[in-house]
Amino acid sequence: MVPDTVLEGARYGTLTLRAASLRGDAARYRGEPRRDALLAVRFGTGDSALILVAVASGQRAAPGAHRVARELCEWIAGAVGGNQARLTEDIHTANRGALSSGLHRLTDRAYGRLRAGATVRGLAPADHTASVRCLLLPAHPACRTRVFFGVGDGGLFRLRDGVWQDLEPDGGERDTVGGPVIGYGSGRPPVQRAAHEPQHPQQAPDPDADPDPTPPPESEPVHGPFRFRASVARPGDTLLLCSAGLAEPLRGEAALADRLAERWDTAEAPGLAAFLADAQTGVKGYADDRTAAAVWEA
């Protein structure tokens, strides 16, 4: 059985995690299981610990989509756990080149397992895959580096001083830390621009991200290019990782973005029940599964 709703929360050093994965109204109506998967796990103890939050979304109408999403999260978690010491060192020393290339290889191997599973089952690779997005969070209070990596649809946002910033990196670029970031005058993240559209004249480089010369990886999963971003958090920030079920209405509906900005621009993270209620905020026209993992920086 796939739980209708999963709720997670914890505090590590200076950061507090709140995460929820909800079955969408459309899936409830059709009696289908939740296709989103959420996994939060800690490797190690004390200041050397490393926290992984993984969010995956299986293909709509694909057989076993919920199992594919769960397996992808577990495979990536297993690989991160097996390389925890090296990853933690690279994060603490801000070795973005090693992080980008290593996490890319790790992710590519996980998608290779999915492709092999599709062959065994006689399925097309496009029908046996999922989007996945991950955060690596060091528990050491002196290390504020936050690492994002993944493939496919979803969103990465930062709430700073009451304003949403869309941190979604463009995939397949040499600058794997991600492109410029806009500070928006309202609580609403903008609709993503197409790759060929010109840069907005008001854009400025993100002061918390460094360029990374790592070349683009040699292969791309069926679901899209590998995406990577490493940035430095500030006290008071709220970092939000989410599946497409929340990213799309957050970008497209100002009322939702404004409400969540008001609710989550707080020094203390909300309680589990309050976070779940916020994540469930309905938006007409959006009925997909919704998964959100938010990190409050003390």
Side-chain angles (χ1 to χ4, degrees):
M1 299 296 290
V2 181
D4 178 272
T5 302
V6 174
L7 186 62
E8 181 64 272
R11 178 173 293 178
Y12 304 99
T14 61
L15 61 87
T16 302
L17 171 69
R18 295 288 182 260
S21 184
L22 320 167
R23 182 165 59 153
D25 291 339
R28 286 198 186 104
Y29 178 79
R30 295 191 297 264
E32 297 174 352
R34 175 171 49 91
R35 293 180 292 107
D36 278 8
L38 168 66
L39 179 64
V41 59
R42 185 194 69 207
F43 298 105
T45 59
D47 288 347
S48 63
L50 184 65
I51 297 97
L52 168 72
V53 182
V55 173
S57 300
Q59 292 285 79
R60 184 181 285 108
H66 59 289
R67 287 189 292 271
V68 173
R70 181 69 187 185
E71 288 175 351
L72 192 55
C73 288
E74 291 175 346
W75 291 341
I76 288 178
V80 168
N83 294 277
Q84 180 232 335
R86 177 63 184 273
L87 289 169
T88 302
E89 179 183 359
D90 288 340
I91 293 174
H92 286 182
T93 58
N95 191 346
R96 287 169 165 82
L99 283 168
S100 175
S101 58
L103 293 171
H104 187 175
R105 287 192 298 270
L106 178 156
T107 305
D108 198 50
R109 284 195 292 269
Y111 275 92
R113 295 182 68 173
L114 283 184
R115 290 191 292 269
T119 300
V120 170
R121 293 171 174 82
L123 301 172
D127 293 332
H128 193 73
T129 189
S131 296
V132 67
R133 333 198 107 232
C134 305
L135 282 178
L136 285 177
L137 309 167
H140 198 295
C143 183
R144 294 276 190 172
T145 301
R146 308 295 180 241
V147 176
F148 159 82
F149 66 98
V151 171
D153 298 330
L156 178 68
F157 305 96
R158 180 171 59 204
L159 183 59
R160 176 173 287 178
D161 298 328
V163 175
W164 283 112
Q165 297 172 337
D166 194 334
L167 305 186
E168 181 73 6
D170 293 329
E173 294 186 348
R174 293 182 64 85
D175 179 8
T176 53
V177 173
V181 176
I182 296 179
Y184 303 106
S186 70
R188 178 186 180 185
V191 176
Q192 290 290 87
R193 299 184 314 278
H196 64 275
E197 290 184 13
Q199 183 178 1
H200 194 285
Q202 294 183 349
Q203 282 185 308
D206 179 5
D208 301 318
D210 296 333
D212 176 22
T214 305
E218 65 281 355
S219 62
E220 292 181 359
V222 172
H223 217 82
F226 178 75
R227 302 177 189 272
F228 173 88
R229 187 182 187 95
S231 61
V232 179
R234 299 179 188 174
D237 283 354
T238 300
L239 187 65
L240 173 64
L241 175 77
C242 56
S243 66
L246 179 59
E248 291 176 1
L250 193 59
R251 290 188 178 111
E253 297 294 333
L256 176 64
D258 292 341
R259 173 178 170 79
L260 294 184
E262 179 183 358
R263 295 281 298 169
W264 291 351
D265 185 29
T266 55
E268 292 290 329
L272 291 176
F275 180 79
L276 177 61
D278 293 338
Q280 286 177 315
T281 302
V283 180
K284 186 176 181 180
Y286 297 91
D288 283 344
D289 294 351
R290 183 181 289 188
T291 302
V295 179
W296 274 259
E297 302 283 349

